[in-house]
Amino acid sequence: MTRLTDLGVTDLRDGIAKGDFSAREVAENFINATNEAEKLNAFITLTPDHALKQAEEADKARASGQLKALSGVPLGIKDLFCTNGYRTTAASKIIGNFVPPYESTITEKLFAAGAGMIGKLNLDQFAMGSSNETSAFGNVISPWRQKNDDAALTPGGSSGGSAAAVAAKIIPAATGTDTGGSIRQPASFTGITGLKPTYGRCSRFGVIAFASSLDQAGPMARSVKDCAALLEVMAGFDPKDSTSADVMVPNWEKLLSSDIRGKKIGIPKEYRVDGMAPEIESLWQRGIQMMKEAGAEIVDVTLPHTRHALAAYYIIAPAEASSNLARYDGVRYGERQTPEGSNLADMYSATRAAGFGDEVKRRIMIGTYVLSAGFYDAYYIKAQKIRALIARDFEAAFDKCDLLLTPATPTAAFALGQKQDDPIAMYLNDVFTVPASLAGLPAMTVPVGLNDQGLPLGLQLIGKPLDEQSVLNAGLALEERAGFTSQPEKWW
Amino acid sequence: MSVINASIVRKIAKLACIAVTEEEVTAMVPELNAILGWGEQLAAINTDGVEPLTSVIAQSQRLREDEVTVPDIRDALLANAPEAEHGFFTVPKVIE
């Protein structure tokens, strides 16, 4: 018999509904799997009580014929989502003991739909990072390793715990958040599927803010179908979020179809960047071939401002971060530092110095500088104008095509420590994911193959605003043709 | 555009309310220069007549009735405070 931990979201949901197994068995199996996987350091806080309580409810609901959309499905929750009564740290020291007295809208929706929570997943501190090495709770270790090499690899970031845990099959799926690629890059590094919806689809209420004009939550799962099922529950208008999109949530899972005949898939030539690994280029060509075989028409498109996207992003995101993170001052929550004889201002500075990690400080400093008098126009306003040009590029491209197919990352996963000392080398990880973030577009990564060293590689599909359905459909077509079934060999 | 030196780093740190040691200042000078220097490539791009994009979605301010919609969770909120007294957050003395 298949192990229950081999099943994803929709298989678990359907199996519980049919009575193939109980929700309790499901919860226990995943709780055991997480307990055995301590070496991955994927979790900051384990919450088996929550998963078991929801499982009990699911089994009761089944007996009374009142199952909900995700009854009995246990999930991992990125530790950036506030969970009522459960510690929420953002992987930081400064709010390392914060217990929210309220629930993020997304977790509220997931739990109301019957999902349970196995634990709070590790991440880059305040979601700032591309390798999960900025967490105050230690690195997450990818379950993947190169052939004949035991070196610890990054799962990517910032949703590194989510990616590692889903890939290691210690949870069926997880929530992630994506500001410049934090769902898509780790999903790609670990051979799973991740979807960043259109900006505004998922409520940001109760999601600890990094860069508010870019932050979007989304699902990370083992299949396109599972992503569709999760997104249906996560998405929806929320009056508590002033940028929430007041639009209908489609029945994505039901309407899912890999029939993409006649769809036009754009290939942006600017995504062929200098220094791109040959294995990424050949993967992209294979993806193009798969889309053709699925009956799609391939068209060449141009996104001329692509190469300026990263620089614009690394001005805009830190600017917003410096403002958002002003709230961590040791007054309302978090760990306060009060040096001997200090006044209020000294307390603020000492608290923030002790509580923030190096990368968070670096971004606050950059953000403070680009927003400061004399530099605001040259950096911040300029970056926002570039952002406008990038958004226009996409609009023009979508006059010629329905979707874009691009690489997800410039390389496969790298070793922990390899890029830690060079912030710009680290930022270059986001080169393919940042443009869609700046334009607020839905984008998904799907695992397509392994490189010569046996590490997973993914491709990215970018869609028109609010057209998650086309992204999911093309993602399914890619998934069916790629037939990616590889998984990491268990060493943990 | 400007070149970041130690005194600018100290000034930014002060604006950002982050205490920094001299060692940290020294380490940050090249880092911030590299990142900001990278951002300076944007200056060469023609953006004449382009409006800055502040939001990717049409923003309209929603209004609601001026009513209390959340329960009183004062004590629960104060429970997370490093120091609280008599139903208030407390801070080091600001008036002598």
Side-chain angles (χ1 to χ4, degrees):
Chain A
M1 185 193 145
T2 9
R3 284 176 307 181
L4 287 178
T5 50
D6 285 333
L7 302 179
V9 172
T10 48
D11 285 342
L12 290 169
R13 175 197 68 192
D14 297 345
I16 291 167
K18 278 194 283 177
D20 293 347
F21 38 77
S22 71
R24 187 174 181 89
E25 287 174 82
V26 171
E28 284 172 347
N29 271 274
F30 281 104
I31 290 166
N32 288 339
T34 51
N35 286 338
E36 285 170 15
E38 240 173 81
K39 284 181 192 156
L40 300 176
N41 198 31
F43 286 91
I44 290 175
T45 310
L46 289 171
T47 59
D49 59 313
H50 189 281
L52 288 169
K53 183 178 72 60
Q54 290 290 84
E56 199 180 309
E57 292 292 320
D59 287 332
K60 273 193 225 155
R62 182 176 181 268
S64 62
Q66 289 172 319
L67 282 169
K68 297 180 221 156
L70 294 174
S71 281
V73 178
L75 298 173
I77 303 295
K78 187 178 183 180
D79 206 18
L80 202 64
F81 292 82
C82 287
T83 40
N84 195 350
Y86 292 94
R87 182 171 78 139
T88 302
T89 69
S92 75
K93 205 173 148 207
I94 204 160
I95 50 164
N97 290 311
F98 177 58
V99 181
Y102 49 85
E103 192 75 49
S104 81
T105 296
I106 291 208
T107 46
E108 190 173 270
K109 281 169 175 274
L110 288 169
F111 300 158
M117 172 169 66
I118 301 248
K120 302 297 294 287
L121 291 156
N122 203 343
L123 65 148
D124 275 301
Q125 193 170 141
F126 286 102
M128 298 178 191
S130 305
S131 64
N132 217 114
E133 290 169 289
T134 71
S135 167
F137 293 84
N139 297 342
V140 176
I141 316 292
S142 174
W144 291 89
R145 284 174 167 178
Q146 293 198 9
K147 277 182 204 157
N148 311 316
D149 187 349
D150 288 349
L153 300 180
T154 176
S158 67
S159 309
S162 305
V166 174
K169 299 200 166 178
I170 61 172
I171 51 172
T175 62
T177 63
D178 191 314
T179 302
S182 284
I183 287 175
R184 292 161 285 159
Q185 183 253 23
S188 181
F189 274 7
T190 55
I192 66 163
T193 305
L195 171 61
K196 180 199 90 75
T198 310
Y199 182 81
R201 267 288 187 206
C202 287
S203 170
R204 292 184 295 107
F205 177 79
V207 183
I208 293 172
F210 162 16
S212 304
S213 79
L214 295 155
D215 296 344
Q216 254 305 284
M220 300 173 73
R222 302 196 197 147
S223 71
V224 172
K225 188 182 172 192
D226 285 1
C227 278
L230 284 170
L231 186 63
E232 262 180 57
V233 174
M234 293 166 73
F237 175 65
D238 181 10
K240 288 189 247 179
D241 172 1
S242 64
T243 58
S244 177
D246 194 358
V247 291
M248 191 200 68
V249 175
N251 206 328
W252 286 301
E253 184 191 347
K254 197 175 159 200
L255 297 171
L256 197 58
S257 159
S258 60
D259 182 359
I260 56 164
R261 281 174 298 175
K263 283 274 180 186
K264 288 184 179 165
I265 313 279
I267 309 298
K269 64 172 194 257
E270 291 80 4
Y271 278 58
R272 196 161 282 119
V273 297
D274 292 344
M276 186 162 89
E279 64 193 26
I280 303 292
E281 172 68 39
S282 70
L283 182 87
W284 197 9
Q285 292 308 324
R286 272 166 56 203
I288 292 170
Q289 198 53 40
M290 288 175 199
M291 293 282 97
K292 280 185 191 162
E293 283 163 19
E297 184 190 335
I298 302 297
V299 292
D300 287 325
V301 297
T302 174
L303 299 168
H305 296 90
T306 299
R307 69 195 172 93
H308 305 302
L310 266 185
Y313 173 85
Y314 277 99
I315 291 171
I316 293 168
E320 294 186 19
S322 74
S323 171
N324 273 326
L325 271 64
R327 74 191 69 181
Y328 305 106
D329 58 5
V331 174
R332 285 152 299 167
Y333 25 65
E335 209 176 280
R336 176 183 293 188
Q337 299 292 327
T338 319
E340 189 66 27
S342 64
N343 61 22
L344 183 61
D346 299 334
M347 186 277 280
Y348 291 153
S349 300
T351 295
R352 289 162 66 79
F356 289 136
D358 288 345
E359 180 61 21
V360 174
K361 285 183 192 170
R362 195 178 287 138
R363 296 201 193 186
I364 292 175
M365 295 281 285
I366 293 283
T368 303
Y369 182 73
V370 300
L371 292 176
S372 66
F375 303 104
Y376 182 80
D377 287 341
Y379 288 102
Y380 185 60
I381 296 294
K382 186 76 184 180
Q384 287 188 318
K385 288 180 178 176
I386 306 294
R387 186 177 184 182
L389 293 174
I390 285 160
R392 276 189 208 171
D393 282 355
F394 279 108
E395 276 172 40
F398 284 132
D399 282 342
K400 293 184 186 153
C401 63
D402 304 298
L403 288 159
L404 300 165
L405 178 72
T406 80
T409 56
T411 62
F414 48 89
L416 288 164
Q418 195 181 320
K419 298 188 182 186
Q420 223 173 354
D421 299 329
D422 184 352
I424 291 185
M426 189 66 90
Y427 296 171
L428 288 172
N429 262 290
D430 304 331
V431 64
F432 298 132
T433 47
V434 150
S437 295
L438 289 171
L441 302 170
M444 172 178 226
T445 54
V446 177
V448 170
L450 297 177
N451 71 0
D452 291 345
Q453 284 78 44
L455 298 180
L457 297 171
L459 289 174
Q460 174 179 233
L461 287 152
I462 304 172
K464 296 176 184 175
L466 301 174
D467 192 13
E468 281 81 3
Q469 190 71 60
S470 293
V471 174
L472 288 160
N473 288 354
L476 185 65
L478 204 54
E479 180 181 83
E480 286 175 356
R481 277 163 189 79
F484 184 90
T485 52
S486 310
Q487 46 185 315
E489 208 169 304
K490 188 168 187 254
W491 53 263
W492 54 90
Chain B
M1 300 282 171
S2 65
V3 176
I4 307 289
N5 58 30
S7 98
I8 296 175
V9 170
R10 275 185 225 106
K11 190 184 153 207
I12 307 170
K14 192 158 184 281
L15 290 172
C17 273
I18 298 175
V20 282
T21 63
E22 275 313 299
E23 279 165 16
E24 285 169 322
V25 170
T26 310
M28 276 186 197
V29 168
E31 281 175 7
L32 298 194
N33 267 318
I35 298 168
L36 289 165
W38 186 47
E40 277 169 20
Q41 62 166 274
L42 301 183
I45 303 157
N46 183 356
T47 51
D48 291 350
V50 178
E51 281 300 308
L53 182 66
T54 51
S55 169
V56 291
I57 51 168
Q59 290 254 41
S60 59
Q61 206 59 45
R62 288 193 297 271
L63 298 175
R64 62 167 176 81
E65 292 305 311
D66 187 15
E67 288 164 352
V68 176
T69 55
V70 286
D72 180 0
I73 54 166
R74 185 190 73 178
D75 293 340
L77 288 170
L78 287 173
N80 272 298
E83 286 179 39
E85 266 179 67
H86 312 303
F88 294 97
F89 296 111
T90 56
V91 295
K93 204 159 114 179
V94 279
I95 302 165
E96 290 304 324

